[in-house]
Amino acid sequence: MTIPKNQAEDDQNARSSYFNLPPLDVSVAFPQATPASTFPPSVSDYFQFSDLLTAEDQASRLRVRQCMEKEIAPIMTEAKFPFHVIPKLGALGIAGGTIKGYGCPGLSITTSAITIAEVARVDASCSTFILVHSSLAMLTIALCGSEEQKQKYLPSLAKFSTVACWALTEPDYGSDASSLQTTATKVEGGWILKGQKRWIGNSTFADLLVIFARNTTTDQINGYIVKKDAPGLTVTKIENKIGLRIVQNGDIVMKSVFVPDEDRLPGVNSFQDTNKVLAVSRVMVAWQPIGISMGVYDMCHRYLKERKQFGAPLAAFQINQQKLVHMLGNVQAMVLVGWRICKLYEKGTMTPGHASLAKSWISLKARETVAIGRELLGGNGILSDFLVAKAMGDLEPIYTYEGTYDINSLVTGREITGLASFKPAVLSKRSRL
């Protein structure tokens, strides 16, 4: 049978119209449970951790929570950076964290950590954006910069009027960052930087890039502030990530980039100087998986009470209650470890091993917690609309950066045994020959 031309065209148009329909809004497609765009109430503080917080801690936490739930939760499933929200994050007064003066808030590390957890509770990518900018780039300038550099750069960074990134990792050197090969060669009036960096958060749109390079004269690691429009500097976005998808990680290539003398960080004269920054940032990073786990628990708690199967809410089934309590116990333990590490830092008794153990153990427990949440949500557990799937993806880079679980374990292991085991024994022996 021959189909008339006009009828064939009509059928084709009908099929095209059918297949090009936009997806149903999740609240229409699945009305039985509320998606994370309307963020669930905070219900994870079972051991009343709030009693340990100061009035400043609680006020800062509430301010950040309200902003994140209102501004970020409705858009957090979009895999693009919300540039329009940066001024609102700046108005929170948390950039610069513990830095005193220069327009920075001068918060205690406990307050700063709690606010980062509140950001991560709703969206881990936003918390990573803030941490790179604040606890890495800004803190490096504050701890290792000259007075002139602090006055010049920190006030605008504290307001998010300008954005910074922190470039240590290279394609060939991740955990072995002290072996980095980017070079800095002294010339008249400044330095020439050559090399490549990878996985650098915020780098694609940062106004300032804090770059670490090897001084070709001393063979030591130095730090430099590079402007985004410096000739010879190119930055490209890394695509196809499964976690922290809105974070703009980039590849940085420097082909004879000139940096004036006034932008060399005088306090970075060896790789050990980076540890002054990493000690603080590792504490802050430990609070990201705490916040993520809080958010996932909150989501699961609401979902199990709303979603019904076999004529009853999922929360009424014993196995689901057991899983929910398992998650809750993990959150209590993570929070208390995070709180203790902050107090050790404030007392001046925190060691690198303390910070590494906190980061590695908390991130491990967070993975377990979120995996249980994934089970509880069934099919909806793979949709970012219900937070848990997104949280699983976001935890993977956090589990890795600021020291992998294994490397952080070895940092603590070295501290408790007095023996370093970062390199295979045979390689360590050969290096001494």
Side-chain angles (χ1 to χ4, degrees):
M1 182 178 71
T2 302
I3 300 175
K5 181 180 179 182
N6 289 343
Q7 182 181 340
E9 290 177 350
D10 289 345
D11 289 347
Q12 177 63 37
N13 290 336
R15 284 194 296 271
S16 297
S17 175
Y18 175 78
F19 286 113
N20 289 328
L21 288 173
L24 285 177
D25 184 273
V26 68
S27 61
V28 175
F30 188 77
Q32 200 178 77
T34 309
S37 55
T38 301
F39 213 77
S42 177
V43 292
S44 66
D45 189 15
Y46 189 67
F47 281 171
Q48 301 172 31
F49 168 70
S50 294
D51 291 349
L52 300 174
L53 304 182
T54 66
E56 178 191 36
D57 295 336
Q58 298 195 37
S60 296
R61 181 179 62 176
L62 180 60
R63 186 170 65 251
V64 173
R65 179 181 296 172
Q66 291 173 340
C67 176
M68 292 300 298
E69 292 181 354
K70 178 182 178 182
E71 304 293 342
I72 301 298
I75 61 172
M76 67 180 179
T77 58
E78 300 175 12
K80 56 184 180 181
F81 192 88
F83 290 100
H84 66 283
V85 177
I86 291 180
K88 293 175 181 177
L89 296 178
L92 291 174
I94 60 176
T98 58
I99 303 170
K100 292 180 170 61
Y102 312 101
C104 298
L107 304 173
S108 71
I109 197 168
T110 302
T111 303
S112 193
I114 289 166
T115 59
I116 283 297
E118 283 297 327
V119 176
R121 173 177 168 264
V122 174
D123 184 61
S125 289
C126 277
S127 69
T128 296
F129 161 69
I130 294 170
L131 280 178
V132 170
H133 172 85
S134 180
S135 297
L136 288 172
M138 287 184 70
L139 193 61
T140 298
I141 295 172
L143 295 178
C144 305
S146 67
E147 183 61 29
E148 292 75 15
Q149 289 167 342
K150 295 174 191 177
Q151 292 182 8
K152 181 178 180 180
Y153 296 119
L154 289 179
S156 64
L157 292 170
K159 295 184 292 186
F160 278 116
S161 299
T162 53
V163 173
C165 70
W166 197 82
L168 178 66
T169 300
E170 297 184 356
D172 291 339
Y173 300 98
S175 296
D176 190 17
S178 62
S179 298
L180 65 84
Q181 293 301 303
T182 296
T183 60
T185 303
K186 187 71 181 78
V187 296
E188 184 177 354
W191 302 78
I192 296 294
L193 270 56
K194 296 180 182 179
Q196 190 171 341
K197 300 291 182 179
R198 184 163 172 79
W199 292 114
I200 310 306
N202 303 353
S203 59
T204 59
F205 60 91
D207 302 286
L208 305 176
L209 300 86
V210 175
I211 303 283
F212 295 91
R214 189 172 300 280
N215 186 319
T216 56
T217 300
T218 65
D219 200 39
Q220 294 295 325
I221 305 303
N222 291 168
Y224 303 86
I225 300 172
V226 179
K227 310 298 197 311
K228 67 177 180 180
D229 55 354
L233 174 72
T234 58
V235 184
T236 52
K237 182 184 175 183
I238 296 174
E239 300 284 1
N240 304 321
K241 297 186 303 172
I242 67 162
L244 300 178
R245 295 182 66 200
I246 73 167
V247 174
Q248 301 264 326
N249 294 93
D251 286 304
I252 299 173
V253 177
M254 292 165 284
K255 296 181 177 179
S256 298
V257 174
F258 176 77
V259 181
D261 283 327
E262 60 264 29
D263 283 333
R264 181 202 180 289
L265 291 161
V268 182
N269 296 297
S270 73
F271 185 76
Q272 292 303 314
D273 292 318
T274 67
N275 287 333
K276 292 184 282 189
V277 178
L278 290 171
V280 178
S281 65
R282 200 159 282 163
V283 172
M284 301 301 295
V285 167
W287 279 84
Q288 285 185 282
I290 293 174
I292 292 171
S293 299
M294 289 175 173
V296 168
Y297 176 82
D298 293 340
M299 187 72 223
C300 290
H301 181 270
R302 181 175 71 184
Y303 185 93
L304 293 184
K305 294 170 73 174
E306 292 180 339
R307 172 70 162 151
K308 293 181 175 65
Q309 288 291 281
F310 304 103
L314 293 182
F317 293 86
Q318 288 182 353
I319 194 168
N320 291 338
Q321 289 192 12
Q322 185 275 327
K323 290 179 179 180
L324 197 63
V325 171
H326 189 160
M327 295 170 67
L328 182 62
N330 281 356
V331 172
Q332 308 316 298
M334 287 187 281
V335 167
L336 291 171
V337 170
W339 179 82
R340 182 57 182 160
I341 202 71
C342 288
K343 295 308 172 185
L344 289 175
Y345 180 86
E346 290 171 0
K347 286 171 55 182
T349 57
M350 187 193 79
T351 66
H354 287 146
S356 289
L357 179 58
K359 192 269 177 180
S360 61
W361 184 84
I362 288 172
S363 59
L364 181 69
K365 280 297 174 185
R367 270 177 133 196
E368 177 185 86
T369 303
V370 173
I372 296 171
R374 155 72 190 94
E375 295 172 7
L376 286 171
L377 265 63
N380 285 321
I382 67 168
L383 294 177
S384 56
D385 300 279
F386 292 94
L387 184 67
V388 179
K390 179 178 178 299
M392 287 189 79
D394 289 343
L395 263 175
E396 290 309 293
I398 294 172
Y399 184 74
T400 298
Y401 68 45
E402 290 279 356
T404 65
Y405 176 84
D406 299 313
I407 289 295
N408 274 311
S409 296
L410 296 181
V411 171
T412 306
R414 177 181 59 187
E415 193 168 282
I416 64 176
T417 66
L419 299 170
S421 58
F422 296 97
K423 296 180 181 179
V426 63
L427 294 182
S428 299
K429 183 177 179 181
R430 285 174 183 170
S431 67
R432 293 194 294 270
L433 296 179

